[in-house]
C-alpha cells in the first residue's frame, strides 16, 4: 500500500479537526477528539492542552490523551516556567528531542520518568491575534522521516483553530449568560416588588376609580395608554396591571422611549443580528422577544421617533418582529402598556405622533390626575411614606398638624415621587416628631394655592380640617368595604390597630350591615 506523504497526512488531520470543531458542543469535547486524532494519525501516545487560567495566573492541563489522572493534576505551570511556561510567555514553539536528559524540560508531570520509549516533545502556543490562550503539547516517537519543522507548522495551525474555537465558545457562553441574566432581571425586578392593588394608596374618587379600572383591564390583553404628569404613578400602575394579569409569571420590561437615542431604541426593541451595524459583534434579542408572553411598558411613548412609530404600529398589527439585519420574522405575544406625560392628542395634531398609532394604543385610556388635583390623598400618602421609610430606617416618626398643612398646600410639581422623596429625607434627617422648622423653605413658600385649596376642601382651620379629612376617609373606606374593618384598613394602608385607634379617636359609628 502506497504510504501517504507526511504533508497529505497533515491535510487529513486538519480536515478531521475542523469537522470536529464544527460539530462538538463544548471546547473540552472537541479537544479530547483532537488529541485522539493526533494519536491515530501520528502515533503520538501522549498529548495535552494546557489553558491559561486568569484567576490563578497558571497554565493548567485542561484535556489530555495517554496521561494518568495524577500526571494531569501535576500539570500546573507558571507563566515562563520551564519549557511549557516559556512557550506560552514568549509565544514561540519548541521541540525537545530528549525529554529524559534535557534540563530545560522540568518534567513536572513526571511523564518522562515512566515512558520507556524515546519521545520527542513538540509544543506550540495557542493564540489568536494578540490573545494568548495556552499551549498544545504532543509527545511523539522519534522518526527519521518526520520533519519536526513541518510538524510544528501543522500543530500551530491546529492551535490557531483551537484558539478560534475557544473564542467562539466564550462568546456563545457570554451571549447565553447575557440572555439568561436579562430574562432573570426582568422577572426578578417584578417579583421583588410584589405589587398589589393595595399598594396604590389614595382615597380620592380618582384613585378609587383607577383601581376599579385596573382590575378590569388586568383581565384583558388590551393595549393601555396611561397618561399623567411625571411622578403620578404611571409606572406603578403599569406594573400592577401586569402583576394582576394572567401574564404575571412572564417577564415585564420597561423601555423609556425618551431616554434612549433613536438607533439604540430600535435595537433595544427589536434586537439585532451579528454584523447588522458596526459594533454588532454578536446577536442580541430585543425587548419584544425577551418579554414574549409578558408585558412591555413603553414609557414616554410621546417621545418615540416617527420612524419607530411606524415599526411599532406594524408590530401591533402583525404581532411579529424581525431583528435588525435579518429578514426572518419572529412571532411574538407581548402586551403593550404605554404611558406619556405629554398631551398626546396635541402631538397628533402637530404631526409629531401618528394618528393611527394613537388609536391603536389608546384602546383603554387611563388618566392619573396630578397630586394637586387630589389633595385629599396627601395625608394618607404622607402617613404611608412615614411608615414605609420608618420601617426602612428603623424610626417611628410623625408630622404635626402645621407641617401637614404645609404639605397639603404645596403644589407638588414632581407629584408623588417628590412627596415620597421629601418624606424619606425628613425621616433620615430627623429623630423626633416633624415640625415646620424641619421642612425645606421652598415647601413653605409655595402658598400660591393655599386659598384655592382651602376653598376646595372647604376649611379655614387647617389642623382640625386635616382631622376631618381623615375622619371622612375612614368613614368612606368603611362604607366601601361594608364595614369590614380588615378590608377598610387595607384600603387605607393602616394596620387594624391603627384603624381602631382612629375609629375611637373620631368616634366613628360602625354600622352592622
Ligand atoms: N398611589 C400611589 N401610592 C403609593 N405610591 C405611589 C403612588 N403613585 C406613585 N407612587 C410612587 O411614586 C413614585 C413615582 O411613581 P412612578 O414612577 O410610577 O411615576 P411615573 O408617573 O411613572 O413617573 P415618570 O413619568 O417620571 O416615569 C414611585 O416610587 C411609586 O411607587
Amino acid at each position: 500500500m502506497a504510504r501517504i506523504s507526511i504533508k497529505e497526512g497533515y491535510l487529513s488531520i486538519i480536515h478531521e479537526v475542523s469537522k470536529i470543531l464544527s460539530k462538538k458542543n463544548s471546547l473540552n469535547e472537541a479537544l479530547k477528539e483532537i488529541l485522539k486524532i493526533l494519536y491515530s494519525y501520528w502515533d503520538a501516545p501522549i498529548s495535552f492542552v494546557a489553558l491559561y487560567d486568569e484567576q490563578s495566573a497558571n497554565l493548567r492541563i485542561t484535556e489530555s490523551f495517554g496521561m494518568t489522572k495524577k500526571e494531569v493534576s501535576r500539570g500546573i505551570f507558571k507563566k515562563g516556567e520551564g519549557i511549557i511556561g516559556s512557550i506560552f510567555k514568549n509565544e514561540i514553539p519548541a521541540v525537545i528531542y530528549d525529554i529524559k536528559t534535557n534540563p530545560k524540560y522540568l518534567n513536572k508531570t513526571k511523564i518522562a520518568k515512566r515512558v520507556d520509549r524515546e519521545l520527542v516533545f513538540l509544543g506550540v502556543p495557542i493564540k489568536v491575534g494578540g490573545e494568548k490562550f495556552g499551549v498544545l503539547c504532543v509527545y511523539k516517537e522519534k522518526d527519521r522521516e518526520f520533519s519536526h519543522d513541518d510538524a510544528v507548522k501543522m500543530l500551530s495551525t491546529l492551535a490557531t483553530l483551537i484558539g478560534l474555537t475557544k473564542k467562539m465558545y466564550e462568546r456563545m457562553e457570554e451571549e447565553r449568560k447575557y440572555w439568561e441574566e436579562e430574562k432573570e432581571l426582568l422577572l426578578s425586578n417584578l417579583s421583588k416588588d410584589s405589587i398589589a392593588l393595595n399598594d396604590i394608596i389614595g382615597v380620592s374618587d380618582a384613585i378609587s376609580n383607577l383601581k376599579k379600572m385596573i382590575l378590569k383591564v388586568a383581565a384583558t390583553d388590551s393595549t393601555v395608554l396611561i397618561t399623567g404628569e411625571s411622578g403620578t404613578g404611571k409606572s406603578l400602575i403599569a406594573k400592577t396591571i401586569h402583576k394582576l394579569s394572567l401574564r404575571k409569571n412572564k417577564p415585564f420590561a420597561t423601555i423609556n422611549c425618551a431616554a434612549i437615542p433613536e438607533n439604540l431604541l430600535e435595537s433595544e426593541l427589536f434586537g439585532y443580528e451579528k454584523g447588522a451595524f458596526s459594533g454588532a459583534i454578536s446577536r442580541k434579542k430585543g425587548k419584544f422577544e425577551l418579554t414574549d408572553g409578558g408585558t412591555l411598558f413603553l414609557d414616554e411613548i410621546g417621545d418615540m421617533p416617527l420612524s419607530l412609530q411606524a415599526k411599532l404600529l406594524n408590530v401591533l398589527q402583525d404581532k411579529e418582529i424581525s431583528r435588525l439585519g435579518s429578514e426572518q420574522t419572529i412571532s411574538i405575544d407581548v402586551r403593550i402598556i404605554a404611558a406619556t406625560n405629554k398631551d398626546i392628542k396635541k402631538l397628533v395634531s402637530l404631526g409629531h405622533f401618528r394618528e393611527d398609532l394613537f388609536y391603536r394604543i389608546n384602546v383603554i385610556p387611563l388618566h392619573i390626575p396630578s397630586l394637586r388635583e387630589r389633595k385629599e390623598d396627601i395625608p394618607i400618602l404622607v402617613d404611608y411614606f412615614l411608615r414605609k421609610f420608618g420601617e426602612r430606617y428603623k424610626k417611628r416618626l410623625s408630622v404635626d398638624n402645621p407641617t401637614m398643612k404645609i404639605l397639603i398646600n404645596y403644589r407638588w410639581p414632581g407629584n408623588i415621587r417628590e412627596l415620597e422623596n421629601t418624606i424619606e429625607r425628613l425621616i433620615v434627617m430627623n429623630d423626633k416628631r416633624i415640625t415646620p422648622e424641619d421642612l425645606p423653605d421652598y415647601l413653605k413658600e409655595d402658598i400660591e394655592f393655599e386659598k384655592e385649596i382651602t376653598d376646595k376642601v372647604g376649611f379655614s382651620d387647617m389642623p382640625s380640617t386635616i382631622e376631618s379629612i381623615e375622619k371622612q376617609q375612614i368613614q368612606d373606606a368603611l362604607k366601601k368595604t361594608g364595614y369590614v374593618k380588615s378590608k377598610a384598613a387595607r384600603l387605607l394602608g393602616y394596620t387594624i390597630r391603627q384603624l381602631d385607634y382612629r375609629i375611637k379617636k373620631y368616634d366613628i359609628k360602625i354600622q352592622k350591615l
Side-chain angles (χ1 to χ4, degrees), residues 190 193-201 210-211 214-215 217-219 226 233-246 248 252 295 297 335 337 366:
L190 264 191
D193 282 0
S194 71
I195 295 161
L197 204 58
N198 289 330
D199 295 325
I200 301 174
I201 307 296
L210 259 175
K211 286 189 180 183
I214 288 170
L215 278 176
V217 166
I226 310 172
K234 298 186 292 296
S235 161
L236 174 69
I237 283 179
K239 286 180 196 165
T240 311
I241 293 175
H242 172 78
K243 267 293 181 188
L244 296 174
S245 75
L246 287 173
K248 65 180 177 211
F252 173 94
T295 307
F297 176 47
R335 178 188 205 169
I337 301 182
L366 293 182

Side-chain angles (χ1 to χ4, degrees), residues 321-333:
I321 57 133
S322 45
R323 295 187 191 148
L324 302 186
S326 163
E327 297 287 300
Q328 202 192 333
T329 53
I330 304 164
S331 298
I332 49 135
D333 164 28

Side-chain angles (χ1 to χ4, degrees), residues 414-474:
N415 292 293
I416 302 178
R417 181 180 295 114
E418 189 185 1
L419 175 65
E420 184 175 15
N421 293 341
T422 304
I423 303 289
E424 180 172 9
R425 229 178 6 249
L426 287 171
I427 294 260
V428 171
M429 304 301 290
N430 293 286
D431 292 306
K432 51 161 194 36
R433 190 170 163 84
I434 294 157
T435 62
E437 291 77 66
D438 302 319
L439 296 178
D441 288 341
Y442 67 86
L443 281 180
K444 292 179 257 184
E445 283 156 10
D446 189 20
I447 49 166
E448 191 184 327
F449 279 80
E450 184 163 0
K451 174 146 187 350
E452 193 185 313
I453 296 142
T454 311
D455 291 350
K456 190 173 165 197
V457 202
F459 54 74
S460 49
D461 174 17
M462 197 59 95
S464 65
T465 314
I466 292 163
E467 298 205 330
S468 72
I469 290 179
E470 192 171 47
K471 183 175 177 184
Q472 191 58 50
Q473 284 169 354
I474 295 168

